[in-house]
Amino acid sequence: MRSSWADSVAAAEGAAAGSSVNNGNIGSSARSTYVPPHLRNRPPSSDLPAPGSSGSTSGTDRSGYGAPLGGSRWIGARNDSSRSGYGSGGRGGGWNSRSGSWDRGRDREVNPFGDDDNAEQTIDEEENTGINFDAYEDIPVETSGDNVPPPVNTFAEIDLGEALNENIRRCKYVKPTPVQRHSIPISLAGRDLMACAQTGSGKTAAFCFPIISGIMKDQFVQRRPRGRLVFPLALILSPTRELSIQIHEEARKFAYQTGVKVVVAYGGAPINQQLRDLERGVDILVATPGRLVDLLERARVSLEMIKYLALDEADRMLDMGFEPQIRKIVEQMDMPPPGVRQTMLFSATFPKEIQRLASDFLSKYIFLAVGRVGSSTDLIVQRVEFVHESDKRSHLMDLLHAQKANGVHGKQSLTLVFVETKKGADALEHWLYINGFPATTIHGDRTQQEREHALRSFKSGNTPILVATDVAARGLDIPHVAHVVNFDLPNDIDDYVHRIGRTGRAGKTGLATAFFNENNASLARSLAELMQESNQEVPAWLSRYSARSSYGGGKNRRSGGGRFGGRDFRRDSSFNRGTTDYYSGGSTGYGASGGYSGGYGPGVTSAWD
DNA sequence: AAAAAAT
């Protein structure tokens, strides 16, 4: 259902009871002023530039029933002085029709870049040089599925729209990362996607760009709220609150001045502000599962109009702890089914069993794997040291002292210490603190306020040591983490991959040290393999350990023997024997149809095997 | 066994 401009105005008037109708729907001159009905469907008058092409009367085009724009498919962002001179100039004007007038009472959009007008140059100049692309040359890529759209080499090749291009420029993204080069064309083509790409390689943008551009381009008219029930067009789920916050912050930058509204909802924080944010209008909802379920049950959010579903850290979202909640959200509420909506799953790791679960959510999807085994491999120097349980603290102390002595030039370098338990985190933090190391901690027993404060304090270098449980293992992008210490190793090699991925991001180098002892025997083999694949020096004692502890591949063995970070489970006979022809199409690089034909079955090496 | 995620 599409709502007309008039409907929107009426709704706003009703709800806002005579208050002003805010916003650029009417052109900037009308912002925050009441517009009499007889003037409402007029094209904006004086202060908007002439539309880029003839005949486009963006004022009336907006008015409803999704009439295509006369001139450009792109509804330009609000004309704004800060956009001067970039690209082909602001054509169009005004907002696209999704941002209906029930979006009332919001002041001018806050600039998420914090660089009002032309202060850009001075911000973070030397440290925000963006991604080190040389680090990503010659990265192995595997795609499979029907008719995979070819990758692109530049953002310019992709029709993302002017406003988004401007934001990409402001983010100082010069060219797409490998995962972006491949996944964005796939998503823009409307295809479902399961993507496996290294930590720190730009996955957030990879799913945000197509969503934002799609919402702008396709002119979905957002459904007007029914009472206080709102209808987002895109849903992005993530496994931790802090990750949702981070995705929201990034997405807001990408969506700046596009008219696409991004709202975040997560637990542990007062729900009222989140409800107010939702009432102001939402196109993209970023959420953690629990709070979203709450919102759905309160009938404050409907998934009926969802066009895009993205799961970040998708394998985590579908593991034992989360799967029921995710199924509820995706399958048992009012979300459109696969094939109607577009679904994108992203993670650095993707175990085959989880791929099988995930395939329930997808329709004729493309599998994409970029890079090796999750980690940024060569960029992270991995060390493993044999440390008895009782020696861990003093050993950590030695590391920290050495680091201090080495003297870090420039920005304070940060150390992230992973432990197994929440209590252990508190205990270690306290111990570090009384020993003169400024540390803080983040884990699930702390209040949300404490968690966010800890993260800020760490990021700012105020507390350069952060002791964390796995709540911080995935997705968090913390610049200047020079060292990740696995004080307690995780039980699962994939968790190790995510943890060490907190360093060595965006093409920068990092160090990861693990304390290994007899309690970690079950991890020995997969750890040794992972390190070998990443060209790391594997200590002889670890190799001996792994030889000893291996009887045929336990739970931690990567199926297929590890190596390359992801393989499409549809190509693995043990996962689809005799059943559905999951993998029926052609594939890039693998030619023939039908399973893993062409000699690329398990055990056969290819360039990146 | 642990961690995370709603109140």
Side-chain angles (χ1 to χ4, degrees), chain A residues 349-527:
Chain A
T349 54
F350 238 125
K352 290 209 165 64
E353 319 80 66
I354 306 275
Q355 288 189 36
R356 192 168 41 76
L357 293 179
S359 64
D360 290 353
F361 296 163
L362 298 160
S363 167
K364 292 185 232 153
Y365 66 95
I366 291 169
F367 177 89
L368 166 68
V370 182
R372 272 178 281 178
V373 238
S375 70
S376 299
T377 55
D378 305 350
L379 296 174
I380 303 172
V381 175
Q382 300 173 54
R383 291 197 309 221
V384 188
E385 294 167 358
F386 197 96
V387 185
H388 288 292
E389 212 58 43
S390 54
D391 297 336
K392 279 183 173 177
R393 283 183 173 182
S394 58
H395 198 81
L396 176 62
M397 185 83 95
D398 292 344
L399 289 182
L400 293 173
H401 273 302
Q403 216 167 295
K404 218 177 192 177
N406 280 345
V408 194
H409 35 76
K411 193 96 177 182
Q412 170 78 57
S413 78
L414 308 179
T415 302
L416 180 52
V417 183
F418 281 104
V419 296
E420 201 56 23
T421 67
K422 295 178 276 196
K423 282 189 168 171
D426 282 336
L428 183 57
E429 182 263 340
H430 182 248
W431 186 84
L432 284 170
Y433 191 79
I434 62 179
N435 280 280
F437 287 97
T440 184
T441 182
I442 185 168
H443 61 69
D445 273 356
R446 304 201 78 193
T447 68
Q448 191 54 32
Q449 247 187 343
E450 289 170 328
R451 286 165 56 158
E452 287 174 38
H453 179 261
L455 198 52
R456 270 197 308 273
S457 177
F458 181 57
K459 278 186 171 177
S460 70
N462 201 30
T463 320
I465 301 167
L466 179 65
V467 183
T469 61
D470 269 329
V471 70
R474 283 173 173 263
L476 296 186
D477 190 49
I478 309 169
H480 313 296
V481 173
H483 196 177
V484 169
V485 179
N486 274 290
F487 189 90
D488 301 318
L489 273 164
N491 296 312
D492 188 320
I493 191 64
D494 285 345
D495 292 334
Y496 173 85
V497 167
H498 285 275
R499 285 179 176 189
I500 68 171
R502 293 322 94 210
T503 187
R505 300 182 68 76
K508 300 196 172 65
T509 56
L511 172 65
T513 305
F515 296 174
F516 184 101
N517 62 37
E518 57 282 353
N519 298 330
N520 309 115
S522 69
L523 196 69
R525 189 188 178 104
S526 48
L527 181 57

Side-chain angles (χ1 to χ4, degrees), chain A residues 267-335:
Chain A
I271 202 169
N272 281 335
Q273 182 58 47
Q274 293 172 10
L275 291 172
R276 276 195 296 275
D277 291 344
L278 289 168
E279 283 182 58
R280 285 174 160 161
V282 51
D283 297 303
I284 302 176
L285 177 59
V286 184
T288 49
R291 178 54 61 89
L292 177 61
V293 169
D294 190 7
L295 293 167
L296 293 167
E297 285 172 351
R298 291 176 188 227
R300 299 301 294 263
V301 170
S302 164
L303 303 177
E304 205 180 312
M305 301 300 280
I306 292 292
K307 303 285 187 292
Y308 303 92
L309 168 66
L311 301 193
D312 200 7
E313 309 296 343
D315 57 334
R316 174 79 183 83
M317 303 300 281
L318 290 168
D319 80 7
M320 280 205 319
F322 268 124
E323 198 209 356
Q325 267 183 309
I326 301 302
R327 281 202 188 274
K328 173 168 185 167
I329 292 166
V330 177
E331 296 179 328
Q332 289 153 37
M333 304 304 290
D334 52 353
M335 189 178 316

